[in-house]
Amino acid sequence: MHCSDIECGGILAKVTPLQRYIAEEIATDHVDGLLSRREALRRLALLGVGTAGATALFAACSQTREPAAEAPVTSSDPATASAPPPGAENALPTAPITWAGPRGELQGAWAEAPTARGGVLVIHENKGLNDHTRSVAGRFAGIGYSALAIDLLSAQGGTATFADPAEATAALGKIPPEEALADLRSGVDELQRRVLGKKVAAVGFCMGAGYVWRLLAAGEPRLSAAVPFYGPTPENPDFSRSKDVAVLGIYAAEDQRVNATEPVARAALEKAGLVFELVTEPDADHAFFNDTRERYNATAAADAWRRVQDWLSRYVA
């Protein structure tokens, strides 16, 4: 799904770009049958989108989206998948940590590789720092990269303080991007302190991938590699200050909403002269790497995990 600028611009005129992205994701989940209308309306209301606007958004987002019955959104049901998610067999445990950030204490989950080849900053989806994101950090540690999964809701007490995941998502949508970027840069500080002398990368998913793109646009000089999974490209990005970062962008063939921003990312990467590769996984949809969600695709996840490992081997260790 990708609403036209005219349609969504009118419906979501009073929300931030991040809130708009989240609202479109909620609408897509409803159109695909993953959320009831009542639940979708509730989640949109938390973002400040009323019933009339939500109804119009559902209609706009369904115009270019195939019905779920004709195009199944998943090729591997997480409830019946026989194999563990890629990397899980060697995953290491994580431990909660805190450190001093630019606006107060920051929280995260730390997974330490015995002999670290490098470090990875893991940036979560718009659900906050949950067990899935912690497991991803553990998987990176299991292949030799100590990983820090940051909690972007630290200033609000942390993701764990939100009993309702939808409220955590709404709270993430209200964080000014510049504040989130400052916290992410502090996360890079902490990661570098823990993997002294090693190269580091940033890997993000969904909203977190959008923040990986924002780090590149902000010219974060300490990253050697960046891997955004199906994340929206910022408007008119300039990556010229991130010339030393090797970028692996991962997309899903059925994720029309995010794929609409892929040409923008490609053009900006080419203009900046960065080393990059943009990969689209066939027969996969948004959030295909998350084995706790309905769109998990084991085949695409395994291929993406292999590509990420290759990329980190080439540009981080």
Side-chain angles (χ1 to χ4, degrees):
M1 179 277 294
H2 180 68
C3 303
S4 72
D5 290 340
I6 293 175
E7 289 166 338
C8 284
I11 298 167
L12 304 177
K14 296 182 179 181
V15 302
T16 67
L18 178 55
Q19 288 173 322
R20 168 177 169 164
Y21 172 78
I22 294 171
E24 289 180 348
E25 180 167 318
I26 293 169
T28 304
D29 285 350
H30 170 61
V31 169
D32 285 350
L34 304 182
L35 286 178
S36 68
R37 179 181 176 85
R38 180 177 180 179
E39 179 60 18
L41 288 172
R42 185 183 76 85
R43 295 187 185 191
L44 287 169
L46 291 172
L47 290 172
V49 180
T51 301
T55 301
L57 182 60
F58 295 154
C61 293
S62 65
Q63 289 179 3
T64 58
R65 189 70 170 175
E66 292 295 328
E70 297 178 16
V73 297
T74 179
S75 62
S76 179
D77 188 336
T80 60
S82 58
E89 65 277 7
N90 296 316
L92 297 178
T94 64
I97 63 168
T98 60
W99 69 96
R103 296 176 295 117
E105 185 178 83
L106 286 171
Q107 303 175 27
W110 171 246
E112 185 170 5
T115 305
R117 303 168 63 188
V120 175
L121 180 70
V122 180
I123 312 176
H124 56 69
E125 301 174 329
N126 60 32
K127 312 300 180 188
L129 178 56
N130 53 23
D131 286 343
H132 167 70
T133 306
R134 282 186 279 268
S135 79
V136 172
R139 291 184 231 174
F140 277 115
I143 60 171
Y145 300 92
S146 292
L148 170 59
I150 189 172
D151 191 341
L152 290 176
L153 286 170
S154 295
Q156 289 75 33
T159 302
T161 64
F162 293 86
D164 181 358
E167 291 186 355
T169 297
L172 283 164
K174 296 175 184 177
I175 299 174
E178 59 274 15
E179 292 185 4
L181 282 174
D183 288 348
L184 290 170
R185 283 177 155 160
S186 179
V188 176
D189 289 339
E190 182 66 13
L191 182 60
Q192 283 195 315
R193 187 183 72 78
R194 290 172 176 265
V195 292
L196 198 62
K198 304 292 185 180
K199 294 181 179 180
V200 300
V203 179
F205 302 85
C206 183
M207 180 202 76
Y211 274 119
V212 172
W213 289 121
R214 287 181 179 272
L215 280 171
L216 294 175
E220 172 51 56
R222 296 166 295 174
L223 296 179
S224 294
V227 184
F229 272 74
Y230 35 77
T233 315
E235 293 185 6
N236 304 313
D238 179 0
F239 300 144
S240 61
R241 292 183 294 166
S242 297
K243 288 186 178 298
D244 296 328
V245 185
V247 181
L248 173 63
I250 298 178
Y251 295 84
E254 304 300 324
D255 189 6
Q256 300 171 37
R257 178 172 64 108
V258 172
N259 292 351
T261 71
E262 190 265 7
V264 177
R266 183 180 296 275
L269 290 165
E270 290 176 346
K271 183 177 181 180
L274 270 66
V275 172
F276 75 92
E277 183 177 351
L278 302 183
V279 176
T280 299
E281 292 289 348
D283 303 317
D285 207 334
H286 189 70
F288 71 79
F289 194 79
N290 188 335
D291 58 288
T292 69
R293 298 181 66 180
E294 296 89 345
R295 294 192 180 98
Y296 176 61
N297 185 309
T299 300
D303 183 68
W305 183 246
R306 176 185 61 78
R307 291 177 184 274
V308 171
Q309 290 183 78
D310 290 346
W311 202 258
L312 294 180
S313 294
R314 290 167 64 185
Y315 297 106
V316 177

